[in-house]
Amino acid sequence: MLLHIPGVLSADQVADCRARLERAQWNDGRVTAGYQSAKAKDNRQLAETDPLARELGGLILDALGRNATFFAAALPLRIYPPLFNAYAGGQAFGFHVDNAVRYDRSVTPPRPLRTDLSATLFFCDPDDYDGGDLVIEDSFGTHSVKLPAGDMVLYPGSSLHEVQPVTRGVRMASFFWIQSMVRDDTRRRLLFELDVSIQQLTARMPDAPELIQLTGVYHNLLRQWTDV
Ligand code: NI
């Protein structure tokens, strides 16, 4: 499932983050790429240990902690500390699949995280730059994603994806991975659709007796499929 989550960060938060990212210490993005993806990758990145990355990452994690849509869609078990990248002057990241397991080195000992879901949060508006589309291939076809600043896209970590060359302006974003309580994308999608239906029914008919049973079905499916 590919999901657009609008307004993860407010306009004020985005403006503040962006101003600070523009003054940040950017490094060659290839330092964190694997052998194969290094050949496709051409961008700049903040070091994982950069205090600014830690601070802005914390802001993003706080916002996600309050975002009901994110929780319902991702059913997060662990979230990798957000990373930050920038593309300009024709930089791009050709088609690749992200590593299946990442080690979170912000904790001791480093903790493995299975990348069930990938996330990209945009800090620049589509009008600020040309190119830079995030192109994602999944079982339903090819999707081109370029979202307003503050919005985020969630997509399966197993997807083949690329960032197309940025031919004007700068594209800054945060990217990270989520290990879900429900590993399988199809099951996670079913749970999300059931959850959304229950929320909509609750808003329309808060006293419907079927709600108790439907909510029970949701939790019992989650119990069957969860691995925590
Ligand atoms: Ni990637």
Side-chain angles (χ1 to χ4, degrees):
M1 177 172 69
L2 199 134
L3 186 70
H4 170 190
I5 306 180
V8 169
L9 296 182
S10 69
D12 284 350
Q13 286 176 314
V14 168
D16 180 53
C17 291
R18 198 175 149 162
R20 299 179 67 187
L21 287 170
E22 278 164 2
R23 297 191 300 268
Q25 174 70 51
W26 294 95
N27 303 318
D28 187 332
R30 273 171 281 225
V31 291
T32 60
Y35 172 72
Q36 202 174 6
S37 61
K39 287 185 282 185
K41 187 175 184 182
D42 177 21
N43 66 3
R44 290 176 300 152
Q45 214 167 284
L46 291 192
E48 298 195 21
T49 51
D50 187 318
L52 181 64
R54 290 281 169 87
E55 187 189 336
L56 300 189
L59 182 87
I60 292 169
L61 294 179
D62 282 350
L64 291 176
R66 294 188 299 271
N67 192 303
T69 304
F70 170 75
F71 186 86
L75 297 168
L77 179 65
R78 290 176 191 165
I79 305 177
Y80 196 86
L83 300 173
F84 297 83
N85 61 18
Y87 295 79
Q91 288 181 314
F93 193 168
F95 273 113
H96 64 280
V97 173
D98 294 342
N99 288 354
V101 176
R102 311 283 308 203
Y103 282 84
D104 175 0
R105 300 186 189 283
S106 68
V107 294
T108 311
R111 188 170 58 178
L113 176 147
R114 191 184 61 232
T115 55
D116 295 323
L117 289 150
S118 297
T120 298
L121 197 165
F122 292 77
F123 285 109
C124 299
D125 277 311
D127 291 346
D128 297 339
Y129 58 97
D130 289 337
D133 296 55
L134 171 63
V135 177
I136 301 165
E137 284 189 2
D138 70 6
S139 46
F140 297 102
T142 301
H143 312 272
S144 191
V145 180
K146 192 168 175 176
L147 300 180
D151 289 16
M152 190 174 94
V153 62
L154 262 184
Y155 59 98
S158 56
S159 318
L160 198 59
H161 57 278
E162 70 165 345
V163 176
Q164 293 183 327
V166 172
T167 54
R168 176 188 65 86
V170 182
R171 174 198 193 272
M172 291 189 293
S174 175
F175 63 105
F176 50 94
W177 300 274
I178 298 117
Q179 179 170 339
S180 178
M181 294 188 281
V182 175
R183 175 180 190 159
D184 182 75
D185 191 56
T186 306
R187 290 177 174 178
R188 212 181 312 112
R189 184 193 185 109
L190 286 171
L191 287 167
F192 180 61
E193 288 174 356
L194 181 56
D195 192 352
V196 169
S197 305
I198 291 171
Q199 299 309 323
Q200 287 170 346
L201 188 58
T202 304
R204 234 167 13 104
M205 308 174 67
D207 301 320
E210 293 84 356
L211 278 171
I212 294 170
Q213 196 170 2
L214 282 173
T215 304
V217 169
Y218 174 84
H219 283 285
N220 288 329
L221 282 175
L222 183 56
R223 202 187 323 277
Q224 288 282 320
W225 292 341
T226 202
D227 84 71
V228 291

